[in-house]
Amino acid sequence: MTRPRRVFALDLGTTKVCCAVADLESTGLRVLGVGMVASRGVRKGAVVEIDRAAEAVAEAVDMAEQMSGVAIDSAVVGIAGGHITSQNSRGVVAVEAGHREVRDQDVHRAIDAARAVSVPSERRIVHVLPQQFTIDGQEGVRDAIGMAGNRLEVDAHIITGANTAIQNVVKVVHKAGLNVDDMVLQVLASAEAVVTEDEIERGVVVVDVGGGTSDIAVFARGSIVHTSVIPVGGNHVTADLAVGLRCDLETAETVKRNFGHCLQLTLPADAEVTLTPMGYDEPVGVPQRYLAEIIGPRAREMASLIAAEVERAGPLGMFPGGIVITGGGALLRGFAEVVQQQTNLPARVAAPMGLHGMNDEIRGPSHATVVGLLRWGARSNLGRKPSRSNGKSSDGPAAGVKLSRWFRDLF
Ligand SMILES: Nc1ncnc2c1ncn2[C@@H]1O[C@H](COP(=O)(O)OP(=O)(O)OP(=O)(O)O)[C@@H](O)[C@H]1O
Ligand SMILES: [Mg+2]
């Protein structure tokens, strides 16, 4: 029997750092260990303090090593932040003379042509995600290899990030004693964990509501069509509550998780939560409907920003799979309903799929990214044989063309 491949993932989030180890088995991923600690030195998805972030990563890695009994020397690492931007690009090449059909090399050359867009020197390409091929004017070709033709075009979605922001993530990971196997846009990893190939084929919007940002990936006709970052996340809801209730952030967070709701009228008029506002000596009863009065406008603002991005991506009819909301912020009660109202698309909250083993720790929506990173690693042949003890230095992040699952099928 062949031994399963082993994969390691690291999600460096704004609120939490999560490290996971899993074996890829025929039935899916068997999680061997997970480590999670509160994040430090990360703001709105980007590293702002290398030393503190590295400490947090090292702690999460230690925890995952202890739980799994496996030494972790490298990981597939998620990347995010306001510095990430995306654009569509087209690459055109002549099919190599002497061959009457498109071959691997032609596809690679077409993708290289698409990635040769002008990227400012302070930025670098993180992903080149092919969307469709056109052969001799015939659009909508999924699998170009083997097709007869002379002229091959590819439409690709190109994701770029700021060099410095990417380097800072690499520095954090190195400082914590790990190599970077690969870098993956966090929301693409989340999508990998929460939606099916079938939904991607039909058209679906994935929203990862994190602490500081909400990241969006829109899919249609089997490939990615749009990505973007909304600079509002669950922590904004907490901050609004802290102001509105005149309490500290910690109390506001607890109140939000236990009693928060976006929709006032779904709550009984007499339901209350007891807390002691700043400047008060005694606890007071606050109607839960008042919490919803504070949370509701922020939820509607987030939902309308999501709606604007969906509109930018294409007509609603393109997304019969609706909106799939994940990330810790997806746990805010009533949020899916608000998104549904604002976007006119069905919306649901989703947690990562297809796990076995010690997965209690990573069952919820806030772990979609780390699970997706494991799956990405498993698919990209980044997994190593468990017997290997010393990891070799990786090629560094984001080198070469990143083949998404929506593309890899072609090879
Ligand atoms: N039960 C809950 N109800 C409401 N909100 C919650 C709940 N649990 C977590 N959250 C919110 O989810 C957010 C954190 O989500 P998540 O863990 O996905 O963030 P992150 O990955 O660290 O951040 P980011 O992806 O923005 O870098 C916080 O704002 C937190 O308040
Ligand atoms: Mg996250």
Side-chain angles (χ1 to χ4, degrees):
M1 204 180 90
T2 53
R3 304 182 82 171
R5 273 195 295 127
R6 187 158 286 168
V7 280
F8 307 107
L10 178 67
D11 175 22
L12 185 52
T14 305
T15 60
K16 57 154 200 320
V17 176
C18 189
C19 176
V21 189
D23 274 350
L24 178 66
E25 297 182 342
S26 55
T27 48
L29 284 172
R30 174 166 300 278
V31 179
L32 305 174
V34 179
M36 188 170 70
V37 297
S39 185
R40 307 191 286 274
V42 180
R43 193 166 299 153
K44 284 187 183 287
V47 171
V48 290
E49 284 172 272
I50 288 174
D51 288 347
R52 297 191 68 220
E55 267 170 36
V57 169
E59 282 171 27
V61 169
D62 273 358
M63 283 171 72
E65 284 184 332
Q66 271 171 32
M67 189 193 280
S68 62
V70 171
I72 301 173
D73 50 30
S74 69
V76 180
V77 179
I79 187 146
H83 64 99
I84 300 283
T85 60
S86 65
Q87 65 193 93
N88 289 324
S89 167
R90 175 166 272 220
V92 185
V93 293
V95 174
E96 208 176 310
H99 298 279
R100 293 215 187 84
E101 58 178 47
V102 176
R103 299 186 307 162
D104 269 20
Q105 302 91 297
D106 301 311
V107 169
H108 278 286
R109 279 192 303 118
I111 292 167
D112 281 344
R115 86 195 316 270
V117 285
S118 74
V119 176
S121 61
E122 73 280 4
R123 302 187 66 76
R124 66 184 289 178
I125 292 176
V126 182
H127 295 285
V128 178
L129 304 165
Q131 298 166 315
Q132 65 154 359
F133 295 94
T134 302
I135 300 177
D136 292 350
Q138 173 67 56
E139 289 191 358
V141 174
R142 292 285 177 75
D143 189 350
I145 292 167
M147 297 274 290
N150 298 309
R151 177 187 162 97
L152 175 67
E153 298 168 60
V154 62
D155 289 305
H157 188 70
I158 297 194
I159 293 169
T160 66
N163 278 333
T164 47
I166 294 171
Q167 277 161 13
N168 286 338
V169 173
V170 176
K171 279 188 180 182
V172 166
V173 177
H174 284 174
K175 198 151 197 159
L178 264 57
N179 281 316
V180 177
D181 281 334
D182 198 1
M183 273 201 175
V184 181
L185 187 68
Q186 285 174 14
V187 68
L188 290 183
S190 302
E192 183 92 32
V194 300
V195 294
T196 60
E197 301 252 356
D198 187 51
E199 285 173 307
I200 285 176
E201 193 59 49
R202 290 168 57 219
V204 68
V205 178
V206 176
V207 184
D208 183 323
V209 185
T213 60
S214 299
D215 302 351
I216 301 185
V218 184
F219 302 88
R221 296 181 298 270
S223 66
I224 187 139
V225 293
H226 183 69
T227 44
S228 79
V229 178
I230 292 174
V232 190
N235 290 355
H236 294 78
V237 176
T238 308
D240 291 348
L241 274 176
V243 172
L245 300 174
R246 281 193 246 144
C247 66
D248 56 56
L249 286 171
E250 208 175 313
T251 309
E253 180 72 24
T254 308
V255 167
K256 176 180 85 169
R257 290 189 186 207
N258 295 333
F259 305 99
H261 207 297
C262 302
L263 302 163
Q264 267 196 61
L265 297 179
T266 54
L267 300 165
D270 58 352
E272 285 197 341
V273 47
T274 308
L275 58 98
T276 312
M278 283 180 211
Y280 282 59
D281 297 328
E282 302 277 315
V284 297
V286 177
Q288 288 186 22
R289 282 190 174 182
Y290 180 60
L291 306 180
E293 209 172 297
I294 298 170
I295 296 171
R298 181 63 85 174
R300 287 193 290 279
E301 181 208 3
M302 287 165 72
S304 69
L305 292 168
I306 292 169
E309 289 303 329
V310 174
E311 206 166 292
R312 212 161 282 162
L316 290 190
M318 260 171 86
F319 316 113
I323 305 197
V324 177
I325 310 169
T326 193
L331 292 167
L332 183 63
R333 291 177 203 82
F335 186 60
E337 286 91 325
V338 173
V339 171
Q340 191 155 321
Q341 282 163 11
Q342 301 262 336
T343 58
N344 282 320
L345 281 173
R348 67 179 171 91
V349 173
M353 308 177 291
L355 290 173
H356 310 279
M358 301 172 84
N359 60 8
D360 280 356
E361 288 81 3
I362 53 175
R363 219 185 265 283
S366 49
H367 294 99
T369 303
V370 79
V371 172
L373 292 170
L374 286 173
R375 288 174 75 151
W376 191 286
R379 266 193 314 99
S380 319
N381 271 325
L382 291 169
R384 272 91 38 84
K385 294 276 184 270
S387 54
R388 208 174 115 189
S389 55
N390 272 326
K392 226 178 40 206
S393 179
S394 78
D395 290 336
V401 180
K402 295 292 169 288
L403 305 179
S404 77
R405 91 173 130 182
W406 316 290
F407 175 66
R408 190 168 298 111
D409 294 345
L410 302 183
F411 289 91

